[in-house]
Every structure is written in structure tokens, then in C-alpha cells.
């Protein structure tokens, strides 16, 4: 718990001058960002998170399992993270953990929210793993407007470092601005765009600017977007739907959404133990049935009781007492 007085990055709970636990109000102590806010007085590592309509306080569990045809699907990794950490930052950690235990697959089926073209290229280069997931669709303003040229309408000349627009004009600037994402930006002259008869279908600004990935990543992105529209790719990717059943098994069969321990490390222990239990259940179903036990040879006393029609007692102490 943050014991400091009102400040920026602190918790939803704080201690006043009398060391009393108080709820932090926006008008008195100020509310911190959700990534730093302590939302439980019992666990200082729990964080608030929201995914769509789902809201919770705690942690995230990322489950990895095998999906080979004809074999038992075995859980190979469970990674526990802070609830506010994005899935895309967790996937590199998962692959590193699998690599350390020599459990890397040839193909790794992932959720679209985990995948980026840059990391798809990195995973193939560093781990030799092919990531299978839906590459994000084009989300720029132009395609959302409808009837406006998308970047695919522009022809890229990689060697000359120029871009040609649908009207035949070439860009006058090619740059790679500093950014977390390795994008290239190509800009056109204002004079060319102002006099262009297709300007209404291209941009609302004075001149059009087109951004795209470097050549190697651009090719991967284009191939992935084209491939994921085919029925063959959709059939392959349908394997990933099996993990939803596993999550349901974790949640409804083992109550994994109820944290039995405090702190992220101890919650991870719960997740791992749950995965072990699920694996044992799955393996147990596929084990051959135990052979039937052969009845034991009757003892002399049992044989005597049977020959004289005397019922066998449940306890040998009773039998000894009767015999005496």
C-alpha cells in the first residue's frame, strides 16, 4: 500500500494523518492512472483492467497448449501478468519461456491482439516459430470514409524511394521518422495535390502523406492479409478456438478467476497448479483402463465357512471370536 500523502502515482486507498485507511477521492487526494492505482487494500499488486464490457481487478493468465491431431492437448505454459499489460507485450515472454524449456512449436496460433508484423518477423528469425494470427485490418481514416484512396492505391518504388499516386504524381520526400513502430513516410508536393482533380478522393489536407512499413515487413503484412482471406487459412486458424474451451475449463471447472492468494507471484502458483490439474485430468481420460482384479484364493477358514453354509463375517476378529 502506498503510505504517501496525496500525490500523482498512488493508490485508490491511502492513509490519513491518523493512519486510518481512506478511499481516495478525486477532489481531495487525486486519482492516479489505472496502471499504478492500488485497487485493493489486501493486495497491493492487483490492478483494474477492462477488455470490452469485461472489467475486473487482479491479474491476467495467458495459457498455451498443444493442438496436434490425435494427441492429448497438454498445457505447456501459463504466464501470469499484471492486468494492465497488453497481450502483445506478453507474447515475447511466452516464447522465451517455451524456448528455455525446449517446448517451442513450429507454429504458434495466437490471438489477433497479440500479433504484430514486426514481432511475426522477429519470432521467425529468433525462434524459428511461425506465428499464425489475424493481422489487423487497415484502420486509417481513408478507408473508413469510403470512396477514398487507400495506401494500396499508391505504387511504391523501393529502389528509387518514391511513391506514385493514382494521379501519376510522385512523392518528393521519403523519411523514417523516429518512432516505436518502424514506419516510412512519403509526402507529396502541396502544388501537385492542390491542382489534382482527384484530391477530393485522396485527402482533406493540402497534401497527401502515405505511411507504410519497411519493405521486408510490408511484404509480410501484404501476404498475411491476403492469405487470411482464404478458406484454407481460416480452416487452419480454427484450431485456435480450442483454447477458449480450455479457458472455460479453467474458469468453470477450477474457479481460476477467484484468486486464492495475494500477490502476482502467488497467483501464478495457483495458475500453474490449475494447469497441472487440467493436464492430469486430460491424460487420465486417455489412459488404458485398469485390469480387473482377480479374486483372492479363499483361506482355509473361508473355505470351511463356505462348505458349511456359514456367512463370512466382515471382521476377522469376529471370525476368531466365533471360532473360539
Amino acid at each position: 500500500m502506498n503510505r504517501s500523502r496525496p500525490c500523482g502515482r498512488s493508490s485508490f486507498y491511502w492513509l490519513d494523518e491518523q493512519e486510518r485507511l481512506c478511499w481516495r477521492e478525486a477532489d481531495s487526494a487525486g486519482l492516479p492512472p489505472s496502471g499504478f492505482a492500488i485497487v485493493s487494500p489486501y493486495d497491493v499488486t492487483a490492478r483494474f483492467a477492462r477488455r470490452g464490457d469485461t472489467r475486473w481487478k487482479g491479474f491476467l493468465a495467458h495459457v498455451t497448449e498443444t493442438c496436434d491431431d490425435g494427441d492429448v492437448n497438454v498445457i505447456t505454459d501459463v504466464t501470469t501478468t499484471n492486468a494492465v499489460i497488453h497481450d502483445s507485450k506478453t507474447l515475447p515472454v511466452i516464447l522465451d519461456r517455451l524456448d528455455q524449456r525446449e517446448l517451442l512449436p513450429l507454429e504458434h496460433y495466437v490471438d489477433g491482439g497479440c500479433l504484430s508484423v514486426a514481432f511475426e518477423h522477429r519470432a521467425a528469425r529468433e525462434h524459428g516459430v511461425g506465428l499464425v494470427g489475424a493481422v489487423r485490418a487497415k484502420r486509417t481514416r481513408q478507408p473508413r470514409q469510403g470512396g477514398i484512396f487507400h495506401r494500396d492505391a499508391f505504387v511504391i518504388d523501393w529502389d528509387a524511394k518514391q511513391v506514385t499516386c493514382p494521379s501519376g504524381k510522385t512523392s518528393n520526400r521519403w523519411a523514417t521518422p523516429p518512432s516505436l513502430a518502424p514506419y516510412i513516410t512519403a509526402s507529396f508536393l502541396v502544388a501537385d495535390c492542390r491542382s489534382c482533380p482527384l484530391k477530393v478522393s485522396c485527402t482533406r489536407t493540402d497534401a497527401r502523406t502515405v505511411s507504410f512499413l519497411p519493405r521486408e515487413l510490408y511484404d509480410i503484412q501484404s501476404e498475411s492479409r491476403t492469405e487470411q482471406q482464404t478458406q484454407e487459412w481460416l480452416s487452419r486458424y480454427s484450431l485456435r478456438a480450442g483454447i477458449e474451451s480450455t479457458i472455460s475449463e479453467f474458469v468453470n471447472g477450477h474457479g481460476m478467476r477467484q484468486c486464492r492468494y495475494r500477490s502476482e507471484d502467488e497467483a501464478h502458483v495457483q495458475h500453474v497448479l490449475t494447469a497441472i490439474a487440467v493436464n492430469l485430468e486430460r491424460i487420465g481420460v486417455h489412459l488404458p483402463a485398469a485390469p480387473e482384479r482377480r479374486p483372492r484364493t479363499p483361506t482355509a477358514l473361508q473355505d470351511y465357512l463356505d462348505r458349511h453354509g456359514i456367512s463370512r463375517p466382515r471382521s476377522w476378529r469376529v471370525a476368531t471370536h466365533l471360532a473360539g
Side-chain angles (χ1 to χ4, degrees), residues 31-168:
L31 296 179
S34 61
F36 301 98
I38 299 175
V39 295
S40 171
Y42 308 105
D43 189 345
V44 298
T45 61
R47 295 293 183 267
F48 171 80
R50 178 177 61 187
R51 297 289 177 86
D53 296 332
T54 304
R55 294 170 172 80
W56 76 96
K57 301 172 182 177
F59 312 100
L60 268 174
H62 301 265
V63 182
T64 305
E65 67 176 2
T66 61
C67 55
D68 296 324
D69 293 335
D71 294 332
V72 182
N73 292 342
V74 178
I75 298 170
T76 57
D77 183 80
V78 179
T79 300
T80 305
T81 66
N82 190 300
V84 298
I85 295 180
H86 195 267
D87 296 346
S88 60
K89 296 183 179 180
T90 308
L91 184 56
V93 178
I94 295 174
L95 290 181
D96 289 339
R97 289 162 57 94
L98 293 174
D99 194 5
Q100 293 172 4
R101 300 200 300 273
E102 299 182 355
L103 293 175
L104 281 174
L106 293 177
E107 288 186 328
H108 195 86
Y109 293 79
V110 298
D111 182 78
C114 302
L115 188 62
S116 68
V117 176
F119 187 70
E120 183 179 357
H121 178 257
R122 173 185 164 188
R125 184 182 69 252
E126 296 182 358
H127 299 288
V129 175
L131 296 181
V132 181
V135 177
R136 294 179 181 177
K138 308 175 182 69
R139 297 186 298 175
T140 57
R141 179 187 63 84
Q142 280 76 15
R144 291 199 303 266
Q145 295 290 332
I148 297 180
F149 296 131
H150 191 267
R151 67 169 69 104
D152 290 346
F154 294 76
V155 180
I156 303 174
D157 188 338
W158 299 98
D159 297 328
K161 293 186 177 181
Q162 282 186 334
V163 177
T164 304
C165 74
S167 184

Side-chain angles (χ1 to χ4, degrees), residues 41-310:
Y42 308 105
D43 189 345
V44 298
T45 61
R47 295 293 183 267
F48 171 80
R50 178 177 61 187
R51 297 289 177 86
D53 296 332
T54 304
R55 294 170 172 80
W56 76 96
K57 301 172 182 177
F59 312 100
L60 268 174
H62 301 265
V63 182
T64 305
E65 67 176 2
T66 61
C67 55
D68 296 324
D69 293 335
D71 294 332
V72 182
N73 292 342
V74 178
I75 298 170
T76 57
D77 183 80
V78 179
T79 300
T80 305
T81 66
N82 190 300
V84 298
I85 295 180
H86 195 267
D87 296 346
S88 60
K89 296 183 179 180
T90 308
L91 184 56
V93 178
I94 295 174
L95 290 181
D96 289 339
R97 289 162 57 94
L98 293 174
D99 194 5
Q100 293 172 4
R101 300 200 300 273
E102 299 182 355
L103 293 175
L104 281 174
L106 293 177
E107 288 186 328
H108 195 86
Y109 293 79
V110 298
D111 182 78
C114 302
L115 188 62
S116 68
V117 176
F119 187 70
E120 183 179 357
H121 178 257
R122 173 185 164 188
R125 184 182 69 252
E126 296 182 358
H127 299 288
V129 175
L131 296 181
V132 181
V135 177
R136 294 179 181 177
K138 308 175 182 69
R139 297 186 298 175
T140 57
R141 179 187 63 84
Q142 280 76 15
R144 291 199 303 266
Q145 295 290 332
I148 297 180
F149 296 131
H150 191 267
R151 67 169 69 104
D152 290 346
F154 294 76
V155 180
I156 303 174
D157 188 338
W158 299 98
D159 297 328
K161 293 186 177 181
Q162 282 186 334
V163 177
T164 304
C165 74
S167 184
K169 303 295 184 180
T170 58
S171 62
N172 70 317
R173 184 173 180 272
W174 177 291
T176 305
S179 167
L180 293 177
Y183 274 93
I184 297 173
T185 300
S187 303
F188 291 84
L189 290 173
V190 175
D192 290 339
C193 291
R194 283 180 176 175
S195 60
C196 180
L198 303 178
K199 183 178 184 299
V200 178
S201 301
C202 187
T203 181
R204 294 183 301 178
T205 60
D206 292 335
R208 178 69 186 266
T209 299
V210 182
S211 298
F212 45 88
L213 292 168
R215 186 171 190 173
E216 190 172 17
L217 300 182
Y218 182 87
D219 291 341
I220 295 175
Q221 183 184 62
S222 300
E223 292 174 3
S224 298
R225 285 175 172 168
T226 301
E227 183 185 15
Q228 67 191 30
Q229 302 300 321
T230 63
Q231 187 60 44
E232 188 273 336
W233 185 92
L234 294 174
S235 299
R236 285 175 54 213
Y237 190 60
S238 63
L239 284 174
R240 192 204 159 270
I243 198 64
E244 303 299 338
S245 299
T246 298
I247 297 299
S248 177
E249 184 178 2
F250 269 75
V251 173
N252 300 313
H254 300 273
M256 196 177 71
R257 283 185 179 159
Q258 298 298 321
C259 216
R260 295 172 174 81
Y261 309 100
R262 300 177 183 177
S263 82
E264 181 178 323
D265 292 337
E266 294 185 5
H268 178 63
V269 173
Q270 174 187 338
H271 297 163
V272 172
L273 293 176
T274 304
I276 293 174
V278 172
N279 280 342
L280 291 176
E281 289 178 349
R282 294 179 176 182
I283 295 173
V285 171
H286 290 79
L287 289 177
E292 296 184 1
R293 296 181 58 182
R294 298 178 59 183
R296 296 173 56 183
T297 304
T299 63
L301 177 58
Q302 292 173 336
D303 186 60
Y304 174 84
L305 296 176
D306 292 341
R307 282 189 286 107
H308 291 81
I310 303 174

